[in-house]
């Protein structure tokens, strides 16, 4: 991968995950809530899974899968210490270079972890190749809108103090990218939908402490290495909107669902093969493109 494609410093991310492993319990309620929203999608299928891979779940996903009766759950994380926090089988490896043989898992779950990957299409392709035919892939990723009040406050404060900006909050993908990424990686029946956790923090410092506890500190390679102005964070934090003495900081997520291709899976109907008109079903009059509906 060329340097121009490397947005994140993966080594720095690993070190920060190592450092956060002992205190991950601080943010367990948030990780657990996000995992529950994601794993609820397992209730929509009658398929039973035998071998699951938890990618970067930070102790929230693997126990939940075992509680659902899955005996063979492997937890993988960039940080060995974080991988061990989930209990059971643990593997320290990079999501950009998966070490698993083709067909190793019939379920792969990535809860709030893939947003730090430099080559997300490539990582999704490797995940699909590690899955058995008709295996299920579930993922949640923070999307544009997450941490937006913090991003805006830091940008405004830095612009006023230095006359310029530096990336201090990780970039996030957009909702519309989700299904296309799955399709590009070869997943069948790709679905991307939006979900949200409405989080509130008693102070800006409580928010920052939770981000650090989760290993979610800035790991953008283009970050400013200079010591920030002393007034930067107090100024930014003073402008964060508060209501009832707390700061709203919703976690906006895209939930991805895709299946490893297999013979006999349902296929989308061929374009133009419909036997009934939508206008008839809706009880309306069909109009041609550009045709006025006024009479």
């Amino acid at each position: 991968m060329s340097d121009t494609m490397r947005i994140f410093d993966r080594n720095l991310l690993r070190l920060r995950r190592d450092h956060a492993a002992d205190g991950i319990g601080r943010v367990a309620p948030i990780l657990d809530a996000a995992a529950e929203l994601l794993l609820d999608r397992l209730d929509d299928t009658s398929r039973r899974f035998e071998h699951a891979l938890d990618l970067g779940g930070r102790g929230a996903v693997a126990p939940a899968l075992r509680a659902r009766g899955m005996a063979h759950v492997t937890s993988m994380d960039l940080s060995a210490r974080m991988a061990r926090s989930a209990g059971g089988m643990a593997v320290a490896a990079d999501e950009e270079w998966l070490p698993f043989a083709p067909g190793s898992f019939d379920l792969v779950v990535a809860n709030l972890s893939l947003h730090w990957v430099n080559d997300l299409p490539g990582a999704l392709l490797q995940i699909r190749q590690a899955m058995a035919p008709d295996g299920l892939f579930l993922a949640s990723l923070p999307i544009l809108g997450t941490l937006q009040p913090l991003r805006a406050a830091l940008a405004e404060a830095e612009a006023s103090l230095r006359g310029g900006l530096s990336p201090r909050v990780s970039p996030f993908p957009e909702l519309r990218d989700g299904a296309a990424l799955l399709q590009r990686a070869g997943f069948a029946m790709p679905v991307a939908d939006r979900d949200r956790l409405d989080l509130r923090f008693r102070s800006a410092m409580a928010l920052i402490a939770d981000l650090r506890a989760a290993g979610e500190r800035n790991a953008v390679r283009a970050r400013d290495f200079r010591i920030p102005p002393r007034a930067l964070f107090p100024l930014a934090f003073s402008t964060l909107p508060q209501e009832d003495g707390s700061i709203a900081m919703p976690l906006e997520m895209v939930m991805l669902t895709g299946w490893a291709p297999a013979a006999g899976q349902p296929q989308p109907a061929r374009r133009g093969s419909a036997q009934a008109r939508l206008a008839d079903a809706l009880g309306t009059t069909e109009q041609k493109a550009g045709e006025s509906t006024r009479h």
Side-chain angles (χ1 to χ4, degrees):
M1 189 187 303
S2 68
D3 280 348
T4 57
M5 295 179 62
R6 295 184 183 275
I7 301 171
F8 305 112
D9 184 334
R10 299 284 293 172
N11 185 56
L12 177 61
L13 177 62
R14 178 183 60 78
L15 293 174
R16 288 181 170 167
R17 286 290 181 93
D18 281 342
H19 182 74
D22 289 339
I24 197 65
R26 176 187 174 100
V27 291
I30 298 174
L31 295 172
D32 289 344
E36 183 178 357
L37 289 175
L38 183 60
L39 296 179
D40 278 349
R41 285 151 175 79
L42 291 174
D43 298 332
D44 297 333
T45 177
S46 58
R47 175 90 153 78
R48 292 296 171 259
F49 303 99
E50 299 277 335
H51 298 275
L53 173 62
D54 160 27
L55 276 178
R58 286 170 279 184
V61 172
L65 291 176
R66 287 192 286 267
R68 287 174 171 264
M70 297 180 201
H72 305 286
V73 181
T74 301
S75 296
M76 195 198 95
D77 198 281
L78 193 59
S79 159
R81 296 182 65 193
M82 195 68 81
R84 289 194 296 268
S85 71
M89 177 70 72
V91 175
D94 194 327
E95 294 96 336
E96 296 182 352
W97 303 96
L98 292 186
F100 306 111
S104 296
F105 305 100
D106 52 15
L107 175 66
V108 176
V109 180
N111 185 49
L112 300 178
S113 61
L114 294 179
H115 56 292
W116 288 113
V117 170
N118 285 301
D119 180 13
L120 186 52
L124 292 175
L125 177 61
Q126 290 188 60
I127 290 170
R128 199 261 297 164
Q129 291 173 339
M131 296 175 65
D134 205 32
L136 176 62
F137 172 60
L138 297 174
S140 62
L141 286 85
I143 56 172
L144 204 61
T146 295
L147 296 179
Q148 185 56 36
L150 179 62
R151 187 194 306 273
L154 287 169
E156 184 177 348
E158 189 163 20
S160 68
L161 293 171
R162 277 186 169 165
L165 302 178
S166 60
R168 297 191 179 276
V169 177
S170 174
F172 298 121
E174 296 188 52
L175 174 66
R176 64 186 181 186
D177 299 329
L181 285 168
L182 289 176
Q183 193 169 34
R184 178 176 170 182
F187 283 97
M189 297 175 285
V191 175
D193 57 278
R194 190 180 195 124
D195 222 321
R196 171 183 174 129
L197 286 178
D198 289 311
L199 305 178
R200 303 192 72 88
F201 298 85
R202 65 182 181 274
S203 68
M205 291 309 299
L207 165 63
I208 298 303
D210 275 8
L211 290 172
R212 288 176 174 171
E216 294 288 334
R217 296 170 61 190
N218 187 9
V220 177
R221 294 179 71 239
R223 65 194 181 280
D224 193 336
F225 288 86
R226 295 176 297 172
I227 297 174
R230 183 185 298 272
L232 175 62
F233 294 105
L235 178 59
F237 294 164
S238 70
T239 64
L240 286 174
Q242 295 196 31
E243 182 180 345
D244 298 328
S246 63
I247 299 170
M249 200 65 60
L251 173 55
E252 303 280 358
M253 297 174 288
V254 60
M255 302 298 206
L256 302 180
T257 306
W259 294 84
Q265 282 179 333
Q267 299 294 321
R270 179 176 51 84
R271 187 173 182 179
S273 63
Q275 300 298 311
R277 298 188 311 157
L278 180 61
D280 293 339
L282 297 177
T284 63
T285 302
E286 184 174 1
Q287 304 286 338
K288 294 181 180 180
E291 188 175 80
S292 173
T293 59
R294 291 179 295 178
H295 297 286

